[in-house]
Amino acid sequence: MTAFTVLEPGLLTTIQDLGRPGYLRYGIPPSGPVDREAFILANRLVGNPETAAALECTLMGPRLDVDADCLVAVTGAEMPMTVNDRAIPPWTAVRLKAGDALRLGTAQRGVRTYLAIAGGIDVAPALGSRSTYLRGRLGGLEGRQLKKGDRLPIGRPTAPLERYEGRRVRAEHIPSYSEEPEVRVVLGLQADRFTPAGIAAFLERPYEMLPQSDRMGARLRGPHITHTRGHDIVSDGIPLGGIQVVGDGQPIVLLVDRQSTGGYTKIATVCSVDIGRVGQVRPGQKLWFRKLSLDEAHAVHRAERARLDAVGLE
């Protein structure tokens, strides 16, 4: 069944599920949503498994014709949503009818919005995943972002649509994207390649998000991070959230579409639970880094996972 026809694709709208693990050794990143928590909550609202495919909309959303009755939910960046020019609430499961016109506008706060549909988007998996990897032209719809005229098939919902209609995330669990976030990091194995003054600069002052940022990496500008003996290393693997510091002394946080290896020194790694927060920082907005020990990072991961499991829906 086709749920939507794309009238306008938005700035960058792709199909994502929870990613494509197991292929990084072949140079294929996992992809998936940049803000994993917002993505999971969108799926929960409409009764989907967390792994169901949905849309990731960047800064400006699409305009869609509704081809069949369906249930949708929008989470993540504050992107105004209308149905037939009538505003409808985010973080809430909303019933749509065939013939409706759904529009997501320009993000007011945050960068990435997630649109989940009951039943999930049912494109053919590629290497076990429906996630779009743009540079590799893999997954989603022909490995590309949506374009005008695309039609989006959906799977069978897990329950009658009325069961989850009106379901919403409690207000206390909805994040704010207006402040300068604090991003937790663990200093990396190559931290000795940076001077004490360089590490202090990295941790004690904020960095500004640059507009060149994308799903591969968040490019930042701020205090110069000084190397002890150059920025080149023998290429090694890059984890999700690895922070490279290239020759100009500026950090790059590697995200879900990152390359598998790289030859620049890495000062630290962002805790996985904070990757989504990095991905919601707008160009020109600032963020701070805060150092954790490895044990503290593990504790944070367990606590944040428990918090997500306990997010209240009503």
Side-chain angles (χ1 to χ4, degrees):
M1 180 173 68
T2 299
F4 294 120
T5 298
V6 178
L7 300 178
E8 296 175 2
L11 186 63
L12 175 63
T13 304
T14 60
I15 296 170
Q16 301 293 338
D17 60 15
L18 278 186
R20 183 177 292 107
Y23 293 93
L24 201 56
R25 74 184 75 174
Y26 306 116
I28 300 173
S31 299
V34 176
D35 188 342
R36 187 181 179 95
E37 178 172 333
F39 179 91
I40 287 173
L41 290 177
N43 269 327
R44 285 187 192 171
L45 284 170
V46 296
N48 285 347
E50 294 180 355
T51 54
L55 296 181
E56 180 181 87
C57 315
T58 304
L59 289 174
M60 185 172 69
R63 187 162 65 91
L64 306 166
D65 250 355
V66 180
D67 299 326
D69 293 3
C70 60
L71 187 72
V72 303
V74 168
T75 63
E78 295 180 29
M79 192 175 282
M81 180 170 64
T82 62
V83 174
N84 304 331
D85 295 324
R86 176 175 57 86
I88 56 175
W91 303 87
T92 303
V94 177
R95 183 88 170 265
L96 303 180
K97 300 213 175 274
D100 284 344
L102 173 64
R103 181 167 196 159
L104 278 70
T106 301
Q108 305 300 305
R109 296 181 181 82
V111 175
R112 294 175 171 92
T113 297
Y114 296 93
L115 171 63
I117 307 162
I121 299 175
D122 192 25
V123 294
L127 299 179
S129 169
R130 296 179 171 87
S131 283
T132 308
Y133 171 38
L134 292 170
R135 284 182 170 81
R137 298 183 179 180
L138 182 70
L141 281 176
E142 303 168 350
R144 57 169 172 77
Q145 65 188 84
L146 298 193
K147 66 180 182 181
K148 182 178 180 179
D150 283 338
R151 304 188 74 184
L152 303 180
I154 59 170
R156 183 182 297 277
T158 59
L161 299 183
E162 58 271 21
R163 176 171 175 180
Y164 296 109
E165 184 177 2
R167 198 181 202 190
R168 60 183 179 176
V169 176
R170 292 178 179 167
E172 63 267 28
H173 295 301
I174 297 176
S176 169
Y177 302 117
S178 59
E179 300 175 351
E180 295 179 357
E182 185 179 77
V183 174
R184 294 162 288 191
V185 302
V186 176
L187 293 183
L189 294 176
Q190 293 149 13
D192 64 342
R193 297 290 299 264
F194 301 90
T195 66
I199 293 176
F202 172 68
L203 294 172
E204 295 175 0
R205 295 167 64 185
Y207 284 85
E208 176 187 343
M209 186 68 66
L210 296 179
Q212 295 87 349
S213 302
D214 57 17
R215 286 175 46 83
M216 182 177 179
R219 295 179 176 273
L220 303 169
R221 178 173 58 200
H224 184 85
I225 302 170
T226 312
H227 294 86
T228 56
R229 54 183 190 280
H231 60 276
D232 288 328
I233 59 171
V234 175
S235 291
D236 63 3
I238 298 178
L240 176 62
I243 304 176
Q244 288 183 331
V245 181
V246 295
D248 63 1
Q250 300 298 298
I252 303 171
V253 181
L254 279 305
L255 300 176
V256 292
D257 280 359
R258 67 195 180 279
Q259 71 275 29
S260 56
T261 63
Y264 297 117
T265 49
K266 293 176 285 296
I267 191 170
T269 302
V270 174
C271 295
S272 58
V273 294
D274 283 350
I275 291 294
R277 198 65 193 90
V278 173
Q280 295 289 12
V281 176
R282 297 169 66 88
Q285 190 179 353
K286 294 181 178 179
L287 58 79
W288 299 73
F289 292 110
R290 180 164 70 88
K291 181 182 73 172
L292 298 183
S293 68
L294 188 57
D295 287 344
E296 289 172 330
H298 286 162
V300 164
H301 179 79
R302 290 191 295 270
E304 289 293 314
R305 184 65 216 189
R307 183 190 60 77
L308 179 58
D309 289 342
V311 166
L313 304 179
E314 56 186 13

